[in-house]
Amino acid sequence: MKRENVVELFRRLRDLDPSPTTELVYTTPFELLVAVTLSAQATDVGVNKATKKLFPVANTPQAIAALGEDGLKPYISTIGLYNAKAKNVVAASRLLVERHAGEVPRSREALEALPGVGRKTANVVLNTAFGEPTIAVDTHIFRVANRTGLAPGKTVRAVEDKLEKVVPKEFKKDAHHWLILHGRYVCKARKPDCPRCPIRDLCAYRHKTVTD
């Protein structure tokens, strides 16, 4: 995609949503870390339902560690892979207490050293909790980047690296959220809603849908 088209793409997305953010409900960096960890292969709606019950009971590393896996599982049992997630969240909570005085670290290396926290989760926390201009590539962003021609790549990391290069600095902090929301609600996997797409004319997708 041409540079001027990239700028126009993000300008339009910004005009539609000047202050985008995650749809996960959280109030602290730790709550966000837990929510993002739980969101793997799960919907934000499903995670929010679970954390709505969990966080009033335990929303600090100390409290989650005290719950333990068996205490945590009933709160997240409606979420896929909840057994593995409970193990990771509790283990991560214990490490946060032991190594970071119960605070979520602001470095990628420290975040990725926590159980259940990969590059994507670290990027989300760095961006959303701490305002870093990172771009976490999930299935929505991977699809949008490839389908539109914005940042085509065969792997998640390849797309992330390309986005880091092509997204103008002024848009980088919010690019992650704009692209996720666009993929979730407009550029959908099975049938993209091209007729109401605000960047339709900039998109390289050959099989644009039409109004029924």
Coordinates of all heavy atoms in Angstrom, one line a residue, residues 7 10 21 25 35-36 123 129 167 181 202 211:
V7 N -1.5 6.6 5.3 CA -1.9 7.8 6.1 C -3.4 8.1 6.0 O -4.0 8.3 7.1 CB -1.1 9.1 5.6 CG1 -1.6 10.3 6.3 CG2 0.4 8.9 5.8
F10 N -5.5 5.5 8.2 CA -5.5 5.7 9.6 C -6.2 7.0 9.9 O -6.8 7.1 11.0 CB -4.1 5.6 10.2 CG -3.6 4.2 10.3 CD1 -2.6 3.7 9.5 CD2 -4.1 3.4 11.3 CE1 -2.1 2.4 9.6 CE2 -3.6 2.1 11.5 CZ -2.7 1.6 10.6
T21 N -10.0 2.1 22.5 CA -9.4 1.4 23.6 C -9.9 -0.1 23.5 O -10.7 -0.4 22.7 CB -9.7 2.0 24.9 OG1 -8.9 1.3 26.0 CG2 -11.1 1.8 25.3
V25 N -12.8 -5.1 30.1 CA -13.1 -4.2 31.2 C -12.0 -4.4 32.3 O -11.7 -5.5 32.8 CB -14.4 -4.5 31.8 CG1 -14.7 -3.6 33.1 CG2 -15.5 -4.2 30.8
A35 N -7.0 -10.2 32.3 CA -8.1 -10.2 31.3 C -7.5 -10.6 29.9 O -8.1 -11.4 29.2 CB -8.8 -8.9 31.2
V36 N -6.3 -10.1 29.6 CA -5.7 -10.4 28.3 C -5.3 -11.9 28.3 O -5.4 -12.6 27.3 CB -4.6 -9.5 27.9 CG1 -3.9 -9.9 26.6 CG2 -5.0 -8.0 27.8
N123 N 2.5 -7.0 24.4 CA 2.3 -5.8 23.6 C 1.0 -5.1 24.0 O 0.9 -3.9 24.0 CB 2.2 -6.2 22.1 CG 3.6 -6.2 21.4 OD1 4.5 -5.7 21.9 ND2 3.7 -7.0 20.3
A129 N -2.1 -0.4 28.9 CA -1.9 0.0 30.3 C -0.8 1.2 30.5 O -1.0 2.0 31.3 CB -1.4 -1.2 31.2
V167 N 3.3 2.0 9.7 CA 2.3 2.8 10.4 C 3.0 4.1 10.8 O 4.0 4.1 11.5 CB 1.8 2.1 11.7 CG1 0.8 3.1 12.4 CG2 1.0 0.9 11.3
L181 N -10.7 -3.4 16.0 CA -12.1 -3.0 15.9 C -12.6 -3.1 14.5 O -13.7 -3.6 14.2 CB -12.4 -1.7 16.5 CG -12.1 -1.6 18.0 CD1 -12.2 -0.1 18.5 CD2 -13.1 -2.4 18.8
L202 N -9.3 2.2 -0.5 CA -7.9 2.1 -0.3 C -7.4 0.6 -0.2 O -6.2 0.3 -0.2 CB -7.5 2.8 1.0 CG -7.9 4.2 1.2 CD1 -7.6 4.7 2.6 CD2 -7.2 5.1 0.1
T211 N -23.6 -5.0 -1.7 CA -24.9 -4.9 -0.9 C -25.8 -6.0 -1.5 O -25.9 -6.1 -2.7 CB -25.5 -3.5 -1.1 OG1 -24.6 -2.6 -0.6 CG2 -26.8 -3.4 -0.3

